[in-house]
Amino acid sequence: TIYEKGFLFQAIRFSACFSVFPLGRQKCSRRYPNDGASEIVLLFHQAGFSRGEFKNIAPRLVDSGFECLAVDF
């Protein structure tokens, strides 16, 4: 768990399990938790960017009642 700019998030790693990634390739993501959320927003960046692109919008989504997962490709 990491605290950055007044917001708590978790950095997580996982093996890709869907067809756009080569099998077994590790991906990184940043989870913005919301224990009260019933829905999760998956955030995927454009080419040439990273999951850091969502560091300002993800906390706003969490404040709106969602949990977020920003994924790096």
Side-chain angles (χ1 to χ4, degrees), residues 4-73:
E4 179 181 285
K5 294 186 179 182
F7 193 76
L8 180 71
F9 68 88
Q10 295 175 322
I12 60 174
R13 292 184 184 276
F14 59 93
S15 292
C17 60
F18 43 95
S19 63
V20 295
F21 300 127
L23 291 177
R25 185 172 172 192
Q26 287 259 318
K27 293 285 135 200
C28 296
S29 66
R30 185 171 282 181
R31 177 179 172 242
Y32 294 84
N34 181 341
D35 293 334
S38 61
E39 297 177 333
I40 187 167
V41 176
L42 300 176
L43 304 167
F44 294 93
H45 62 80
Q46 297 182 51
F49 293 92
S50 74
R51 66 185 183 269
E53 292 297 308
F54 302 107
K55 66 184 176 188
N56 294 321
I57 189 70
R60 294 172 61 191
L61 290 166
V62 169
D63 289 342
S64 296
F66 298 98
E67 182 165 317
C68 296
L69 184 65
V71 180
D72 257 345
F73 285 101

